């Protein structure tokens, strides 16, 4: 049986609140203007990502994936963050969503939830499971992921900047999302 090819790079996903479009090289300045806030990264394992050279590595990797999106406030057309799909696994019928950040003005409201819903709806049209991976000290992201209905699946160590960092994996299955 031939594997079904999946397009993890739709041109645009949108609702009334946010628009997700594929990241472009020309987005660096606007995205870095958001990302240079150290408080965005304070709980993140790569907590120095506010530095331009560190953010540049994140940004360049996002471009290479061809599955990364900028998050745009639909009302103002302002770029407010980024997110992406990664680790697609056809055999497991799964994909991961992550590498997400948003400017602090957009925390605690519906912007992250709306962005995740767009990604989840698109993913669940073709896979049965979505994974999220979060650093153990990143309480804000853990709380946001729990709001999707995902549950903690496992704990594991990740080598990051020469040291090991505890991470949590969360799982959301299609039937749970639809329930």
């Amino acid at each position: 049986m031939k594997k079904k090819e999946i397009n993890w790079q739709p041109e645009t996903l949108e609702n009334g609140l946010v628009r997700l479009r594929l990241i472009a090289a020309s987005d660096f300045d606007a995205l870095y203007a958001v990302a240079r806030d150290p408080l965005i990264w304070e709980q993140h394992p790569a907590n120095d990502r506010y530095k331009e050279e560190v953010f540049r590595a994140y940004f360049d990797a996002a471009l290479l994936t061809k599955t990364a999106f900028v998050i745009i406030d639909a009302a103002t057309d302002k770029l407010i963050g980024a997110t992406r799909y990664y680790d697609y696994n056809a055999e497991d019928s799964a994909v991961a969503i992550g590498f997400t950040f948003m400017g602090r003005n957009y925390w605690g409201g519906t912007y992250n939830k709306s962005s995740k819903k767009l990604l989840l709806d698109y993913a669940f049209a073709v896979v049965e499971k979505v994974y999220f991976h979060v650093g153990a000290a990143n309480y804000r992201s853990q709380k946001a992921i729990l709001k999707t209905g995902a549950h903690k699946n496992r704990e594991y160590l990740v080598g990051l900047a020469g040291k090991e960092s505890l991470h949590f994996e969360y799982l959301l299955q299609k039937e749970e999302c639809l329930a």
Side-chain angles (χ1 to χ4, degrees):
M1 186 163 120
K2 186 178 178 184
K3 284 185 189 175
K4 180 180 176 183
E5 283 296 316
I6 298 174
N7 177 17
W8 290 114
Q9 47 184 335
E11 196 66 32
T12 305
L13 300 172
E14 58 188 303
N15 56 33
L17 192 62
V18 293
R19 184 171 61 255
L20 309 181
R21 71 157 168 76
L22 289 176
I23 196 168
S26 60
D27 292 322
F28 181 82
D29 290 338
L31 200 56
Y32 182 62
V34 176
R36 70 173 154 225
D37 178 352
L39 292 178
I40 291 174
W41 308 104
E42 72 178 341
Q43 294 180 6
H44 193 277
N47 59 12
D48 61 348
R49 198 170 278 162
Y50 65 91
K51 297 176 181 174
E52 187 171 0
E53 66 277 6
V54 179
F55 184 76
R56 171 58 79 181
Y58 162 90
F59 183 84
D60 290 347
L63 281 174
L64 289 174
T65 68
K66 302 203 183 303
T67 61
F69 301 88
V70 289
I71 304 168
I72 299 165
D73 179 336
T76 64
D77 214 32
K78 180 181 176 187
L79 197 145
I80 62 171
T83 191
R84 71 175 95 151
Y85 290 116
Y86 64 99
D87 286 351
Y88 169 61
N89 182 324
E91 290 76 29
D92 192 31
S93 188
V95 71
I97 295 172
F99 294 89
T100 305
F101 77 93
M102 286 187 184
R104 285 191 292 143
N105 294 354
Y106 296 90
W107 288 2
T110 57
Y111 289 88
N112 188 45
K113 184 178 180 180
S114 292
S115 298
K116 290 286 191 287
K117 180 164 177 21
L118 287 170
L119 293 167
L120 287 167
D121 288 350
Y122 188 84
F124 283 137
V126 292
V127 297
E128 297 297 315
K129 301 174 200 167
V130 171
Y131 292 97
F132 303 92
H133 303 101
V134 182
N138 194 340
Y139 306 112
R140 282 190 301 266
S141 291
Q142 291 172 41
K143 185 177 174 183
I145 288 169
L146 289 171
K147 288 179 183 178
T148 68
H151 62 276
K152 189 160 83 168
N153 190 47
R154 69 181 178 108
E155 298 181 7
Y156 61 101
L157 293 173
V158 172
L160 196 63
K163 56 185 175 181
E164 288 192 326
S165 173
L166 180 64
H167 277 63
F168 301 150
E169 177 181 82
Y170 291 82
L171 170 64
L172 182 60
Q173 298 194 49
K174 184 177 184 175
E175 68 263 10
E176 295 169 331
C177 194
L178 298 176

